[in-house]
Amino acid sequence: MILGLQWGDEGKGKIVDVLTRDYDIIARFQGGPNAGHTLIFDGTKHVLHTIPSGIFHDKKINVVGNGVVIDPVIFKNEIEKLKAVGVDLKNKLFISKKAHLILPTHRLIDKASELSKGTKKIGSTLKGIGPTYMDKTGRNGLRVGDLSEDDWMIKYDNLKNKHLNLIRSFNVDIDFDIEELSNNFFESIEYIKQVKFIDSEHFFNESLKNGKKIIAEGAQGSLLDIDFGTYPYVTSSTTTAAGASTGLGIAPNKIDDVIGIFKAYTTRVGSGPFPTELFDDIGNRISKVGNEFGATTGRPRRCGWLDLVALRHSIIINGVTKLAIMKGDVLSGLKKIKICTKYRYKGELIDYLPYSLESKNLEPIYEEMSGWDDDITAIKNMEDLPKTFLNYISFIQDWVGVQIKIISVGPDRKQTIIV
Ligand code: GDP
Ligand code: IMO
Ligand code: MG
């Protein structure tokens, strides 16, 4: 399992792509096109939203699992982009029949809901994720497998009409042309039928029985988890390890390794508390050097120091067995680096995540370490890394009690040190 330990955008896509070589099947287990996973190789950048990050490798099977929510319009676009760069998807990409569909009206509900919240908005990517999971758990959703039934258009109409009433009840002004949106949706549904719809839970378990190896690819990050994240400023799925079992139908005792990905600092896009956020020149510098702009929405990501209290929370919730540290190259040139090891919470020093991370109650407490000046982006072996960066790595490992096994020193597939 490969998942993000912060607020998303840790570099999951890159690591899935790097590790795909050693696996047979790559499966996304939750979230939807709110994700943006960036892969860079041979001088080209690719961004994936729903399709798993193993898609560029030959002879590997990529599956969109039952826990994912699919927007056919965005999915069609992704397929077209892959075809345009010569990726052959035949017998390589499957969708679970149990995955739920994002309707155009789900996106509109997202928009109406955010508008109605004003300054308290979540900062959603507006891809209709929350409303689609609401219909899933409310037992009203439309699933990929329904598309083979004769009455799916009736189901669509019923759901759409219910949504239109709900949108009116928000009392906000949004413009849309429902005919056009519906036609676009129908056309995309026909297009994505070229991808095989499968009973993915059977496929995974048969494959495991036959000795195949699977990567479960997470989206978002643990601090955006619906239960253990910074609620309500979270996404609507289980982004943590348990989500891979429900999102794929693979039992917890079949999971060997949980690889937790984190940046050498922290970023967050959208609203919500962020204790180590920087509002100064260092924050601006990290944003610029790290090119911290959302891969899905293009919004600037908020930047701050690494937060070990939050990181350890994520490691525990997920049962992380190995860590991957990303973007250490972005911190090159900083004389001093801060790392949060405690919070002052309502006057007391604590080293665990409290109920709320709102800044009025909470102040991060830092330790300071020496930075590194060298350009590390071409380094291939761990022992060639600057001593101060190795100290930083040791400090993190000792503090959280899990080994760092992957060190990413640049965005390219090749800029990866496997320890
Ligand atoms: P994901 O959503 O977790 O897959 O991450 P994103 O793709 O949204 O964001 C990660 C960004 O960091 C992408 O632009 C990557 O190309 C880039 N990236 C990944 N690893 C590194 C690294 O080690 N160094 C640098 N400088 N960039 C990286
Ligand atoms: P990847 O997989 C970073 C954030 C949004 C918002 C909140 C809720 O690329 O790491 P939603 O669209 O789910 O209603 O948004 O979650 N968010 C992400 N932030 N990376 C992502 O995905 C995200 N997906 C959602 O910015 O704050
Ligand atoms: Mg991303």
mmCIF file of all heavy atoms in Angstrom, residues 193-227:
data_model
loop_
_atom_site.group_PDB
_atom_site.id
_atom_site.type_symbol
_atom_site.label_atom_id
_atom_site.label_comp_id
_atom_site.label_asym_id
_atom_site.label_seq_id
_atom_site.Cartn_x
_atom_site.Cartn_y
_atom_site.Cartn_z
ATOM 1 N N LYS A 193 -17.059 3.097 -22.019
ATOM 2 C CA LYS A 193 -17.426 1.673 -22.106
ATOM 3 C C LYS A 193 -16.353 0.847 -22.825
ATOM 4 O O LYS A 193 -16.394 -0.373 -22.797
ATOM 5 C CB LYS A 193 -18.784 1.516 -22.797
ATOM 6 C CG LYS A 193 -19.951 1.807 -21.852
ATOM 7 C CD LYS A 193 -21.278 1.550 -22.521
ATOM 8 C CE LYS A 193 -22.428 1.776 -21.554
ATOM 9 N NZ LYS A 193 -23.715 1.864 -22.252
ATOM 10 N N GLN A 194 -15.392 1.515 -23.459
ATOM 11 C CA GLN A 194 -14.280 0.774 -24.077
ATOM 12 C C GLN A 194 -13.361 0.161 -23.014
ATOM 13 O O GLN A 194 -12.562 -0.718 -23.305
ATOM 14 C CB GLN A 194 -13.476 1.695 -24.998
ATOM 15 C CG GLN A 194 -12.806 2.844 -24.264
ATOM 16 C CD GLN A 194 -12.093 3.782 -25.208
ATOM 17 O OE1 GLN A 194 -11.002 3.509 -25.662
ATOM 18 N NE2 GLN A 194 -12.735 4.899 -25.539
ATOM 19 N N VAL A 195 -13.486 0.660 -21.776
ATOM 20 C CA VAL A 195 -12.714 0.078 -20.667
ATOM 21 C C VAL A 195 -13.558 -1.039 -20.057
ATOM 22 O O VAL A 195 -14.770 -0.885 -19.900
ATOM 23 C CB VAL A 195 -12.420 1.155 -19.593
ATOM 24 C CG1 VAL A 195 -11.670 0.555 -18.420
ATOM 25 C CG2 VAL A 195 -11.645 2.301 -20.200
ATOM 26 N N LYS A 196 -12.916 -2.160 -19.741
ATOM 27 C CA LYS A 196 -13.673 -3.298 -19.219
ATOM 28 C C LYS A 196 -14.135 -3.048 -17.779
ATOM 29 O O LYS A 196 -13.345 -2.601 -16.952
ATOM 30 C CB LYS A 196 -12.772 -4.529 -19.270
ATOM 31 C CG LYS A 196 -13.546 -5.802 -19.413
ATOM 32 C CD LYS A 196 -12.598 -6.897 -19.834
ATOM 33 C CE LYS A 196 -13.124 -8.224 -19.382
ATOM 34 N NZ LYS A 196 -12.126 -9.256 -19.429
ATOM 35 N N PHE A 197 -15.421 -3.325 -17.506
ATOM 36 C CA PHE A 197 -15.955 -3.215 -16.144
ATOM 37 C C PHE A 197 -15.861 -4.607 -15.513
ATOM 38 O O PHE A 197 -16.386 -5.573 -16.073
ATOM 39 C CB PHE A 197 -17.424 -2.767 -16.156
ATOM 40 C CG PHE A 197 -17.667 -1.446 -16.863
ATOM 41 C CD1 PHE A 197 -18.937 -1.112 -17.347
ATOM 42 C CD2 PHE A 197 -16.639 -0.517 -17.048
ATOM 43 C CE1 PHE A 197 -19.171 0.095 -17.989
ATOM 44 C CE2 PHE A 197 -16.864 0.691 -17.695
ATOM 45 C CZ PHE A 197 -18.127 1.004 -18.171
ATOM 46 N N ILE A 198 -15.226 -4.716 -14.370
ATOM 47 C CA ILE A 198 -14.993 -6.049 -13.796
ATOM 48 C C ILE A 198 -15.480 -6.150 -12.341
ATOM 49 O O ILE A 198 -15.695 -5.147 -11.667
ATOM 50 C CB ILE A 198 -13.490 -6.440 -13.839
ATOM 51 C CG1 ILE A 198 -12.642 -5.470 -13.001
ATOM 52 C CG2 ILE A 198 -12.981 -6.494 -15.277
ATOM 53 C CD1 ILE A 198 -11.239 -5.979 -12.704
ATOM 54 N N ASP A 199 -15.621 -7.403 -11.882
ATOM 55 C CA ASP A 199 -15.858 -7.658 -10.459
ATOM 56 C C ASP A 199 -14.484 -7.642 -9.809
ATOM 57 O O ASP A 199 -13.834 -8.675 -9.672
ATOM 58 C CB ASP A 199 -16.543 -9.023 -10.284
ATOM 59 C CG ASP A 199 -17.956 -8.995 -10.861
ATOM 60 O OD1 ASP A 199 -18.722 -8.101 -10.466
ATOM 61 O OD2 ASP A 199 -18.263 -9.837 -11.718
ATOM 62 N N SER A 200 -14.045 -6.459 -9.435
ATOM 63 C CA SER A 200 -12.624 -6.282 -9.097
ATOM 64 C C SER A 200 -12.217 -7.045 -7.841
ATOM 65 O O SER A 200 -11.081 -7.516 -7.752
ATOM 66 C CB SER A 200 -12.279 -4.802 -8.977
ATOM 67 O OG SER A 200 -13.174 -4.169 -8.112
ATOM 68 N N GLU A 201 -13.138 -7.198 -6.879
ATOM 69 C CA GLU A 201 -12.737 -7.904 -5.650
ATOM 70 C C GLU A 201 -12.362 -9.352 -5.957
ATOM 71 O O GLU A 201 -11.417 -9.906 -5.393
ATOM 72 C CB GLU A 201 -13.807 -7.800 -4.551
ATOM 73 C CG GLU A 201 -15.158 -8.421 -4.838
ATOM 74 C CD GLU A 201 -16.085 -7.535 -5.687
ATOM 75 O OE1 GLU A 201 -15.594 -6.698 -6.458
ATOM 76 O OE2 GLU A 201 -17.319 -7.709 -5.592
ATOM 77 N N HIS A 202 -13.095 -9.970 -6.912
ATOM 78 C CA HIS A 202 -12.748 -11.341 -7.311
ATOM 79 C C HIS A 202 -11.411 -11.342 -8.041
ATOM 80 O O HIS A 202 -10.559 -12.187 -7.797
ATOM 81 C CB HIS A 202 -13.816 -11.938 -8.242
ATOM 82 C CG HIS A 202 -15.172 -11.977 -7.607
ATOM 83 N ND1 HIS A 202 -15.356 -12.401 -6.312
ATOM 84 C CD2 HIS A 202 -16.396 -11.651 -8.075
ATOM 85 C CE1 HIS A 202 -16.636 -12.315 -6.014
ATOM 86 N NE2 HIS A 202 -17.290 -11.856 -7.053
ATOM 87 N N PHE A 203 -11.259 -10.382 -8.930
ATOM 88 C CA PHE A 203 -10.016 -10.287 -9.705
ATOM 89 C C PHE A 203 -8.795 -10.159 -8.780
ATOM 90 O O PHE A 203 -7.796 -10.868 -8.942
ATOM 91 C CB PHE A 203 -10.093 -9.091 -10.666
ATOM 92 C CG PHE A 203 -8.807 -8.816 -11.381
ATOM 93 C CD1 PHE A 203 -8.356 -9.658 -12.389
ATOM 94 C CD2 PHE A 203 -8.036 -7.705 -11.044
ATOM 95 C CE1 PHE A 203 -7.150 -9.411 -13.039
ATOM 96 C CE2 PHE A 203 -6.837 -7.454 -11.692
ATOM 97 C CZ PHE A 203 -6.391 -8.305 -12.686
ATOM 98 N N PHE A 204 -8.890 -9.281 -7.782
ATOM 99 C CA PHE A 204 -7.744 -9.075 -6.878
ATOM 100 C C PHE A 204 -7.437 -10.351 -6.088
ATOM 101 O O PHE A 204 -6.285 -10.757 -5.973
ATOM 102 C CB PHE A 204 -8.021 -7.947 -5.873
ATOM 103 C CG PHE A 204 -8.129 -6.589 -6.508
ATOM 104 C CD1 PHE A 204 -9.158 -5.718 -6.155
ATOM 105 C CD2 PHE A 204 -7.202 -6.170 -7.456
ATOM 106 C CE1 PHE A 204 -9.263 -4.465 -6.728
ATOM 107 C CE2 PHE A 204 -7.297 -4.913 -8.038
ATOM 108 C CZ PHE A 204 -8.340 -4.068 -7.671
ATOM 109 N N ASN A 205 -8.484 -10.951 -5.541
ATOM 110 C CA ASN A 205 -8.239 -12.113 -4.670
ATOM 111 C C ASN A 205 -7.753 -13.327 -5.457
ATOM 112 O O ASN A 205 -6.901 -14.079 -4.978
ATOM 113 C CB ASN A 205 -9.473 -12.393 -3.802
ATOM 114 C CG ASN A 205 -9.600 -11.334 -2.700
ATOM 115 O OD1 ASN A 205 -8.734 -11.245 -1.830
ATOM 116 N ND2 ASN A 205 -10.613 -10.497 -2.776
ATOM 117 N N GLU A 206 -8.269 -13.502 -6.676
ATOM 118 C CA GLU A 206 -7.750 -14.583 -7.546
ATOM 119 C C GLU A 206 -6.286 -14.310 -7.892
ATOM 120 O O GLU A 206 -5.448 -15.197 -7.873
ATOM 121 C CB GLU A 206 -8.572 -14.658 -8.842
ATOM 122 C CG GLU A 206 -9.859 -15.428 -8.718
ATOM 123 C CD GLU A 206 -9.651 -16.854 -8.210
ATOM 124 O OE1 GLU A 206 -8.902 -17.609 -8.850
ATOM 125 O OE2 GLU A 206 -10.222 -17.193 -7.146
ATOM 126 N N SER A 207 -6.003 -13.055 -8.206
ATOM 127 C CA SER A 207 -4.630 -12.687 -8.584
ATOM 128 C C SER A 207 -3.674 -12.953 -7.431
ATOM 129 O O SER A 207 -2.575 -13.471 -7.635
ATOM 130 C CB SER A 207 -4.549 -11.215 -8.976
ATOM 131 O OG SER A 207 -5.418 -10.953 -10.040
ATOM 132 N N LEU A 208 -4.099 -12.597 -6.221
ATOM 133 C CA LEU A 208 -3.238 -12.836 -5.052
ATOM 134 C C LEU A 208 -2.998 -14.335 -4.871
ATOM 135 O O LEU A 208 -1.882 -14.761 -4.583
ATOM 136 C CB LEU A 208 -3.876 -12.247 -3.784
ATOM 137 C CG LEU A 208 -3.831 -10.720 -3.644
ATOM 138 C CD1 LEU A 208 -4.666 -10.274 -2.441
ATOM 139 C CD2 LEU A 208 -2.400 -10.200 -3.490
ATOM 140 N N LYS A 209 -4.075 -15.103 -5.072
ATOM 141 C CA LYS A 209 -3.958 -16.559 -4.935
ATOM 142 C C LYS A 209 -2.944 -17.117 -5.937
ATOM 143 O O LYS A 209 -2.223 -18.067 -5.656
ATOM 144 C CB LYS A 209 -5.341 -17.195 -5.181
ATOM 145 C CG LYS A 209 -5.593 -18.407 -4.322
ATOM 146 C CD LYS A 209 -7.059 -18.749 -4.196
ATOM 147 C CE LYS A 209 -7.583 -19.441 -5.439
ATOM 148 N NZ LYS A 209 -9.035 -19.644 -5.400
ATOM 149 N N ASN A 210 -2.875 -16.473 -7.104
ATOM 150 C CA ASN A 210 -1.946 -16.928 -8.142
ATOM 151 C C ASN A 210 -0.562 -16.283 -8.029
ATOM 152 O O ASN A 210 0.215 -16.277 -8.985
ATOM 153 C CB ASN A 210 -2.532 -16.641 -9.531
ATOM 154 C CG ASN A 210 -3.786 -17.465 -9.762
ATOM 155 O OD1 ASN A 210 -3.892 -18.583 -9.267
ATOM 156 N ND2 ASN A 210 -4.747 -16.906 -10.483
ATOM 157 N N GLY A 211 -0.306 -15.662 -6.885
ATOM 158 C CA GLY A 211 1.038 -15.135 -6.630
ATOM 159 C C GLY A 211 1.330 -13.766 -7.218
ATOM 160 O O GLY A 211 2.478 -13.331 -7.240
ATOM 161 N N LYS A 212 0.301 -13.086 -7.707
ATOM 162 C CA LYS A 212 0.540 -11.746 -8.275
ATOM 163 C C LYS A 212 0.708 -10.724 -7.150
ATOM 164 O O LYS A 212 0.169 -10.894 -6.053
ATOM 165 C CB LYS A 212 -0.651 -11.324 -9.153
ATOM 166 C CG LYS A 212 -0.924 -12.270 -10.294
ATOM 167 C CD LYS A 212 0.035 -12.044 -11.429
ATOM 168 C CE LYS A 212 -0.338 -12.884 -12.635
ATOM 169 N NZ LYS A 212 0.830 -13.336 -13.378
ATOM 170 N N LYS A 213 1.441 -9.653 -7.470
ATOM 171 C CA LYS A 213 1.687 -8.613 -6.464
ATOM 172 C C LYS A 213 0.925 -7.341 -6.825
ATOM 173 O O LYS A 213 0.933 -6.904 -7.978
ATOM 174 C CB LYS A 213 3.186 -8.320 -6.385
ATOM 175 C CG LYS A 213 3.979 -9.509 -5.815
ATOM 176 C CD LYS A 213 5.464 -9.256 -5.894
ATOM 177 C CE LYS A 213 5.918 -8.259 -4.836
ATOM 178 N NZ LYS A 213 7.347 -7.926 -5.011
ATOM 179 N N ILE A 214 0.289 -6.778 -5.819
ATOM 180 C CA ILE A 214 -0.581 -5.609 -6.049
ATOM 181 C C ILE A 214 -0.071 -4.386 -5.279
ATOM 182 O O ILE A 214 0.318 -4.507 -4.128
ATOM 183 C CB ILE A 214 -2.028 -5.922 -5.588
ATOM 184 C CG1 ILE A 214 -2.561 -7.175 -6.295
ATOM 185 C CG2 ILE A 214 -2.943 -4.726 -5.803
ATOM 186 C CD1 ILE A 214 -3.960 -7.609 -5.842
ATOM 187 N N ILE A 215 -0.096 -3.231 -5.939
ATOM 188 C CA ILE A 215 0.096 -1.955 -5.222
ATOM 189 C C ILE A 215 -1.279 -1.328 -5.051
ATOM 190 O O ILE A 215 -2.023 -1.177 -6.019
ATOM 191 C CB ILE A 215 0.952 -0.935 -6.020
ATOM 192 C CG1 ILE A 215 2.380 -1.421 -6.218
ATOM 193 C CG2 ILE A 215 0.941 0.430 -5.327
ATOM 194 C CD1 ILE A 215 3.279 -0.414 -6.949
ATOM 195 N N ALA A 216 -1.626 -0.975 -3.818
ATOM 196 C CA ALA A 216 -2.844 -0.195 -3.573
ATOM 197 C C ALA A 216 -2.428 1.268 -3.513
ATOM 198 O O ALA A 216 -1.630 1.653 -2.659
ATOM 199 C CB ALA A 216 -3.484 -0.630 -2.264
ATOM 200 N N GLU A 217 -2.930 2.058 -4.445
ATOM 201 C CA GLU A 217 -2.518 3.476 -4.534
ATOM 202 C C GLU A 217 -3.551 4.378 -3.865
ATOM 203 O O GLU A 217 -4.710 4.418 -4.269
ATOM 204 C CB GLU A 217 -2.371 3.874 -6.017
ATOM 205 C CG GLU A 217 -2.075 5.363 -6.220
ATOM 206 C CD GLU A 217 -1.883 5.747 -7.700
ATOM 207 O OE1 GLU A 217 -1.904 4.847 -8.567
ATOM 208 O OE2 GLU A 217 -1.704 6.951 -7.958
ATOM 209 N N GLY A 218 -3.110 5.086 -2.840
ATOM 210 C CA GLY A 218 -3.998 6.014 -2.149
ATOM 211 C C GLY A 218 -4.059 7.358 -2.851
ATOM 212 O O GLY A 218 -3.188 7.694 -3.656
ATOM 213 N N ALA A 219 -5.086 8.110 -2.522
ATOM 214 C CA ALA A 219 -5.182 9.495 -2.976
ATOM 215 C C ALA A 219 -5.379 10.367 -1.736
ATOM 216 O O ALA A 219 -5.648 9.857 -0.650
ATOM 217 C CB ALA A 219 -6.345 9.668 -3.934
ATOM 218 N N GLN A 220 -5.205 11.670 -1.914
ATOM 219 C CA GLN A 220 -5.237 12.624 -0.801
ATOM 220 C C GLN A 220 -4.196 12.213 0.258
ATOM 221 O O GLN A 220 -3.224 11.555 -0.086
ATOM 222 C CB GLN A 220 -6.643 12.732 -0.185
ATOM 223 C CG GLN A 220 -7.674 13.422 -1.079
ATOM 224 C CD GLN A 220 -8.201 12.546 -2.197
ATOM 225 O OE1 GLN A 220 -8.663 11.449 -1.972
ATOM 226 N NE2 GLN A 220 -8.138 13.038 -3.414
ATOM 227 N N GLY A 221 -4.458 12.575 1.510
ATOM 228 C CA GLY A 221 -3.490 12.252 2.559
ATOM 229 C C GLY A 221 -4.220 11.945 3.846
ATOM 230 O O GLY A 221 -5.425 12.234 3.978
ATOM 231 N N SER A 222 -3.488 11.380 4.818
ATOM 232 C CA SER A 222 -4.130 10.922 6.058
ATOM 233 C C SER A 222 -4.798 12.062 6.833
ATOM 234 O O SER A 222 -5.774 11.844 7.542
ATOM 235 C CB SER A 222 -3.102 10.255 6.948
ATOM 236 O OG SER A 222 -2.528 9.181 6.243
ATOM 237 N N LEU A 223 -4.253 13.281 6.715
ATOM 238 C CA LEU A 223 -4.842 14.391 7.473
ATOM 239 C C LEU A 223 -6.090 14.930 6.789
ATOM 240 O O LEU A 223 -6.757 15.834 7.293
ATOM 241 C CB LEU A 223 -3.802 15.497 7.686
ATOM 242 C CG LEU A 223 -2.537 15.045 8.433
ATOM 243 C CD1 LEU A 223 -1.500 16.161 8.480
ATOM 244 C CD2 LEU A 223 -2.871 14.585 9.859
ATOM 245 N N LEU A 224 -6.417 14.354 5.618
ATOM 246 C CA LEU A 224 -7.684 14.681 4.936
ATOM 247 C C LEU A 224 -8.681 13.534 5.093
ATOM 248 O O LEU A 224 -9.744 13.539 4.487
ATOM 249 C CB LEU A 224 -7.431 14.948 3.438
ATOM 250 C CG LEU A 224 -6.702 16.243 3.081
ATOM 251 C CD1 LEU A 224 -6.297 16.247 1.601
ATOM 252 C CD2 LEU A 224 -7.571 17.469 3.368
ATOM 253 N N ASP A 225 -8.346 12.538 5.909
ATOM 254 C CA ASP A 225 -9.226 11.386 6.124
ATOM 255 C C ASP A 225 -10.533 11.839 6.786
ATOM 256 O O ASP A 225 -10.520 12.693 7.678
ATOM 257 C CB ASP A 225 -8.497 10.380 7.037
ATOM 258 C CG ASP A 225 -9.317 9.127 7.286
ATOM 259 O OD1 ASP A 225 -9.233 8.208 6.447
ATOM 260 O OD2 ASP A 225 -10.034 9.061 8.304
ATOM 261 N N ILE A 226 -11.624 11.232 6.371
ATOM 262 C CA ILE A 226 -12.945 11.633 6.873
ATOM 263 C C ILE A 226 -13.061 11.443 8.389
ATOM 264 O O ILE A 226 -13.748 12.210 9.064
ATOM 265 C CB ILE A 226 -14.077 10.890 6.097
ATOM 266 C CG1 ILE A 226 -15.472 11.362 6.504
ATOM 267 C CG2 ILE A 226 -13.994 9.375 6.253
ATOM 268 C CD1 ILE A 226 -15.836 12.706 6.003
ATOM 269 N N ASP A 227 -12.394 10.442 8.956
ATOM 270 C CA ASP A 227 -12.448 10.218 10.405
ATOM 271 C C ASP A 227 -11.275 10.836 11.158
ATOM 272 O O ASP A 227 -11.455 11.434 12.210
ATOM 273 C CB ASP A 227 -12.474 8.706 10.710
ATOM 274 C CG ASP A 227 -13.839 8.122 10.450
ATOM 275 O OD1 ASP A 227 -14.692 8.257 11.334
ATOM 276 O OD2 ASP A 227 -14.057 7.567 9.352
#
